[in-house]
Amino acid sequence: MELATKTGFVLLGLFIILNWGLIMAGIIRKIIARASMRRGISVFQPYINLIKNYSIRSQLTHGVMFYLGPVFRLSGGVGIFLFMPLIHDSEIWSNFSFAGDLILIAYFMFFGMLGMALGAGEGGHPYSAIGISRGLAQFTAIEVPLTLAILSIAFQYNTLSISEIVARQQGGILNWTLFTNPLATIAAMISFLGAMGHAPFNVVMAPQENPIGPPTEYHGTFLGVLQTNRAILHVIESVLFMNLFFGGASNWFELIVKTFFIYFWSVFVGMVFPRFRVDQSIPWLLKIPVLIGILSIVFILL
Amino acid sequence: MEQLLDRIIAGFEAADIEKRKDGQVFFTVPKPKVLPLINHLKMFEGFRNLILMTAVDWIEDNQFQITYLLNNPDTKTDLGIRTFIGRDGEGMDSIHELWGHAATFQREMKEMFGIGFPGSPRVDEPFLLEGWDDIPPMRREFDTKKYSEETYFPRPGRETHDPATYMKQKLYPND
Amino acid sequence: MPEDNVKYPAEDQSLSPVNRKRVVIGPEGEDILVDPLRDYYCTARPEPELPRQGIIEKFMNWARAESLWVLGFGTGCGSIEIPPLLSPRYDAYRFGVAMRPTPRQSSVIIISGYLSVKTLKRVIRSYEQMQNPKFVIALGSCTINGGMYWDSYNTINRLDHYIPVDVYIAGCMPRPEAILAGFNKLKQRIKEGRGEGANDYIKNLDWYKANQKKIIKDWNMPDYNW
């Protein structure tokens, strides 16, 4: 396929993912509201918030890195998207995935955080730096069980290509990594809780903690970019976990259903459990999930 | 309680004793006896909690009344210690070395009444009124209504009614 | 901060030591003048950001009206009426109202009840750090004419002399239903294109600043808090 068509389909995919991310955020907020016996926001409230943020008239800047922070964050989210095969066995929806894309995506997951750290550090708000160091420390701890799980399934399937991993899981639900390598799935799903920023691990973003953490100074369009990225990132990380552990998707409908339930797992846990402090969450993540991850590698290699 | 009061009357010239309710007594001591009394109460009688200290402006007698409210958590008794000082620049001894939070009360009294507490930490810093340049507002010669009308742009058209006469006119206009 | 090589000028004794202007002796014996309160001073005057014309502005106003982000800043007793607003019984979220913890991201500030001079200074700082367009809801009779504190030496009487007010909600205190009605009134006002308080404030900046400086005697912040 020539590059122009390919780019067109990639942009179309990005558009669909963005819209699904915004609507999913609205649906999730609605479910949370109903669980706490409220009517809650409208499903399209994330769209309105986004339009409103993009239509703020005045913007302040604190320097070049302040501009680049949201840009880096967005390129982190879009970067994961670019190299992620969305639909199994479909050439047009496989984006730019290639043989070693799993490593690249694991890198891109951290890239956005680092860019955000540089930007928020220049924001001038004294607590931004605290929020950022908390966020980076916690995200580093989240990455450890995830990396162990990725290593485990890389050993299991003997490849680092996501398309290959999806292809090996076809042919019935029992071929999913969920059943062929349950320990890796458990370790990865625990780190997924942290990556999504819901309750046990959301102290970094929690507004009650040192006012709002990293994005304190971001407003207007900057915040709009961050919100856009968050909508993309939530879906595309769910797609990553779907591809690695839940058999991928063979059409868009399956993708939407599976990402919804994978994302809902973090919301479900977040509704039930209270929030960890950073000094509690990091030791917790580095104990049992890491042990499960190591065990999964051991079992695969045996 | 009675024995405690007897000791206080004998040792510290307490007068004007007023038993408000069970376990709550107010009395007046002369100014030089206040610090020894509070020291004694804290060290030997178990009154280890300063609930509050506050001041009252008796402008007719030309004096301030300072009240210390002490509490003994073991016997559940409160003592209100009153003392009178002159209004004209006469200070009071600071008790911030007995209770750290007394410094805040003293800072507030310095700001609101102009009572000096020499040696109390940060006593001259503004507490509630930042940049206040008039006489201390809780002194009774300060006309707060006049000050408010001069400073804060009163909204025209505000009426004030005496509730009793107003309601009488409303309800029984023929009386 | 090592105390032994710090000299304070005689002024600024009312500030805490960290904020005082002082001369610090550097490592090579040179004198460095440090003024922490003016570290990030921006003395530039703000410019009004005029609205666009036609249907674009109408669409944007609709979005602004349906997504009111409120700065979580309670000034007086009225702030106790805000938490019930977000509880399941009243549920202000369904009107697009949400609380934000930082002035940069919020578009509505609720002045909840009486406002002392000390708090007014913080309100002005927070209000000016919010981004254009921004809206003010004044809660309770204390903000209208002083309410029961009309003759107090330390609470303001008329809020609209210090910051432009979009909606007044009368009552002492207004019930959450009244606050919800106030939010709907504000939405209506924004959709009609009348929520231009931020630009009014900048156009009449001299008048507002004169009123503010009349009662804030220790003015130690920039004329406009960027």
Side-chain angles (χ1 to χ4, degrees), chain C residues 23-92:
Chain C
V23 176
V24 182
I25 300 170
E28 293 173 9
E30 75 276 23
D31 285 357
I32 305 169
L33 183 70
V34 181
D35 191 355
L37 285 186
R38 288 177 183 264
D39 262 2
Y40 292 99
Y41 250 50
C42 173
T43 50
R45 254 182 101 90
E47 293 290 326
E49 309 251 354
L50 294 177
R52 291 160 198 265
Q53 298 300 316
I55 195 163
I56 299 176
E57 181 69 17
K58 274 198 176 149
F59 177 63
M60 284 177 169
N61 276 340
W62 168 80
R64 282 167 195 148
E66 294 298 327
S67 160
L68 295 172
W69 285 2
V70 181
L71 176 61
F73 180 19
T75 62
C77 40
S79 47
I80 206 70
E81 301 287 335
I82 307 297
L85 208 62
L86 306 174
S87 67
R89 181 167 180 137
Y90 299 104
D91 189 22

Side-chain angles (χ1 to χ4, degrees), chain A residues 29 36-41 45 48-49 51-53 55-60 62 207 211-212 215-219 223 227, chain C residues 49-51 57 59-60 62-64 66-67 69 86 88 91 93-94 96 100-102 104-105 107 131-133 196 199 226:
Chain A
R29 290 276 303 274
S36 50
M37 300 179 82
R38 289 188 282 115
R39 285 189 67 83
I41 61 170
Q45 188 70 38
I48 305 176
N49 288 347
I51 297 168
K52 170 241 165 129
N53 270 327
S55 60
I56 292 284
R57 288 189 199 127
S58 57
Q59 317 272 349
L60 287 179
H62 295 273
I212 210 176
T216 310
E217 280 288 311
Y218 284 110
H219 55 272
L223 192 64
Q227 281 181 324
Chain C
E49 309 251 354
L50 294 177
E57 181 69 17
F59 177 63
M60 284 177 169
W62 168 80
R64 282 167 195 148
E66 294 298 327
S67 160
W69 285 2
L86 306 174
D91 189 22
Y93 290 113
R94 68 201 147 116
R100 299 303 292 186
T102 155
R104 292 281 190 225
Q105 298 173 3
S107 54
Q131 298 302 311
N132 191 350
E196 295 295 329
N199 285 336
W226 285 96

Side-chain angles (χ1 to χ4, degrees), chain A residues 118-167:
Chain A
L118 293 172
E122 207 177 54
H125 183 66
Y127 295 140
S128 286
I130 298 177
I132 273 296
S133 50
R134 285 172 160 197
L136 284 176
Q138 183 173 298
F139 202 75
T140 313
I142 289 165
E143 288 268 292
V144 178
L146 178 64
T147 312
L148 288 173
I150 286 178
L151 281 178
S152 172
I153 58 172
F155 284 132
Q156 181 189 354
Y157 296 117
N158 223 349
T159 176
L160 279 171
S161 159
I162 296 178
S163 311
E164 187 75 13
I165 291 172
V166 176

Side-chain angles (χ1 to χ4, degrees), chain A residues 245-260:
Chain A
F245 303 104
F246 299 97
S250 54
N251 53 45
W252 276 103
F253 179 73
E254 194 182 345
L255 182 139
I256 283 174
V257 171
K258 278 186 179 174
T259 50
F260 179 80

